[in-house]
């Protein structure tokens, strides 16, 4: 039988890895052997590179990074929650778990595939084109190390919302909390009082908060200055690990 048009092969893994290779092949098929990859890539080129074309030609990378820090998490929230809830509601998840597939492998395959898909189509491709646009505008390539590090912050920020949405999709059966909670967190920095939590959240990575005394870390990287703190970076990475761990714990106990 096929799953999303992909022929399954015998499973040789055991334990928590059981079925991981098959599941990962299925998820990667959904990204790279369908129209999704080029539609995603084209969408980000339009939203990031085309919309910021004038700034990029002038050597200003800030608008590109700020927009990427906002729109990529929104896409990650929408697509990743559908990855679990869509299969749960359609009955596909229950069918797959009747096969030799462990629940951690089911979730891990989605994290890897979606993380890789967004990395290529939403970060590396637009980021590479942005570099060419800046250089074509006459700027020196000296900006490249700081910009590459800033793209790393963009991706870490994206992973926070990706893993958060997957965790909530494992915890809840409805789209309300799965969509609402990450969106609320994403836009919370516009509230001044929320900046007290900025050191423990991903907001300072590529977002200028309501507190002018807490500028985004990408500003320091672009200007070649040392970072005033790395706490938001480590905190965001720990949040991603925590979200993934909770999702693994919950999906082992979920009835499908």
């Amino acid at each position: 039988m096929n799953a999303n048009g992909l022929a399954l092969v015998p499973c040789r893994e055991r334990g928590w890895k059981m079925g991981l290779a098959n599941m990962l092949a299925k998820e990667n098929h959904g990204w790279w052997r369908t129209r999704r990859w080029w539609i995603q890539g084209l969408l980000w080129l339009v939203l990031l590179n085309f919309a910021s074309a004038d700034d990029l030609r002038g050597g200003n990378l800030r608008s590109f990074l700020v927009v990427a820090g906002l729109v990529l998490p929104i896409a990650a929230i929408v697509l990743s929650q559908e990855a679990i809830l869509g299969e749960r509601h359609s009955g596909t998840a229950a069918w797959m778990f009747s096969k030799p597939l462990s629940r951690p492998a089911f979730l891990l395959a989605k994290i890897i595939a979606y993380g890789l898909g967004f990395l290529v189509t939403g970060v590396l491709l637009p980021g590479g084109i942005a570099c060419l646009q800046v250089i074509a505008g006459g700027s020196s390539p000296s900006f490249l190390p700081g910009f590459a590090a800033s793209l790393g912050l963009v991706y870490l920020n994206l992973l926070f919302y990706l893993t958060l949405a997957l965790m909530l999709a494992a915890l809840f059966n409805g789209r309300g909390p799965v969509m609402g909670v990450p969106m609320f967190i994403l836009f919370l920095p516009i509230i001044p009082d929320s900046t007290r939590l900025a050191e423990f959240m991903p907001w300072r990575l590529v977002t200028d908060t309501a507190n002018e005394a807490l500028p985004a870390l990408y500003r320091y990287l672009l200007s070649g200055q040392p970072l005033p703190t790395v706490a938001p970076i480590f905190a965001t990475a720990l949040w991603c690990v925590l979200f993934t761990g909770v999702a693994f714990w919950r999906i082992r106990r979920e009835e499908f």
Side-chain angles (χ1 to χ4, degrees):
M1 184 176 289
N2 292 345
N4 288 0
L6 181 67
L8 300 182
V9 297
C11 172
R12 296 180 173 84
E13 301 99 337
R14 292 294 181 269
W16 68 268
K17 296 188 296 183
M18 184 172 60
L20 177 61
N22 277 344
M23 190 66 195
L24 186 56
K26 168 191 173 295
E27 294 297 332
N28 281 328
H29 179 278
W31 271 94
W32 308 112
R33 295 189 180 182
T34 65
R35 295 178 294 178
R36 178 186 290 181
W37 71 269
W38 66 261
I39 291 176
Q40 289 281 329
L42 182 61
L43 174 64
W44 303 130
L45 288 176
V46 171
L47 291 179
L48 301 178
N49 299 84
F50 180 76
S52 305
D54 291 338
D55 289 335
L56 291 173
R57 282 196 296 269
N60 184 359
L61 292 156
R62 291 182 178 180
S63 61
F64 176 92
L65 292 169
V66 170
V67 174
L70 179 63
V71 299
L72 288 175
I74 293 175
I77 293 167
V78 173
L79 293 181
S80 59
Q81 60 88 25
E82 184 62 27
I84 292 183
L85 291 184
E87 293 191 352
R88 175 188 292 178
H89 295 165
S90 67
T92 304
W95 175 81
M96 286 190 291
F97 287 137
S98 68
K99 311 303 176 184
L101 171 67
S102 74
R103 298 191 177 199
F106 169 82
L107 185 61
L108 182 60
K110 292 185 180 296
I111 294 174
I112 295 173
Y114 278 76
L116 178 61
F118 277 111
L119 174 64
V120 174
T121 63
V123 178
L124 296 181
L125 177 60
I129 299 299
C131 290
L132 297 178
Q133 290 175 279
V134 173
I135 294 173
S139 297
S140 167
S142 60
F143 73 93
L144 288 174
F147 181 57
S150 298
L151 288 178
L153 296 183
V154 169
Y155 187 60
L156 181 59
N157 179 64
L158 183 153
L159 285 179
F160 174 89
Y161 293 98
L162 173 66
T163 54
L164 173 60
L166 286 172
M167 179 194 73
L168 293 171
L171 290 172
F172 299 100
N173 197 38
R175 287 181 170 81
V178 178
M179 291 281 291
V181 172
M183 290 292 186
F184 174 76
I185 294 175
L186 179 63
F187 290 100
L188 189 58
I190 65 176
I191 302 175
D193 289 342
S194 68
T195 55
R196 298 174 184 176
L197 302 173
E199 294 297 317
F200 308 101
M201 300 296 287
W203 303 328
R204 285 194 68 188
L205 300 182
V206 287
T207 304
D208 292 312
T209 65
N211 189 343
E212 295 182 358
L214 298 173
L217 298 184
Y218 80 88
R219 291 179 175 269
Y220 295 91
L221 296 176
L222 290 182
S223 61
Q225 302 177 50
L227 294 176
T229 177
V230 294
I233 297 175
F234 284 107
T236 302
L238 289 175
W239 279 119
C240 293
V241 173
L242 176 62
F243 294 154
T244 302
V246 172
F248 282 160
W249 168 82
R250 182 67 182 91
I251 204 166
R252 285 177 178 271
R253 292 157 175 79
E254 179 64 24
E255 294 290 340
F256 285 91

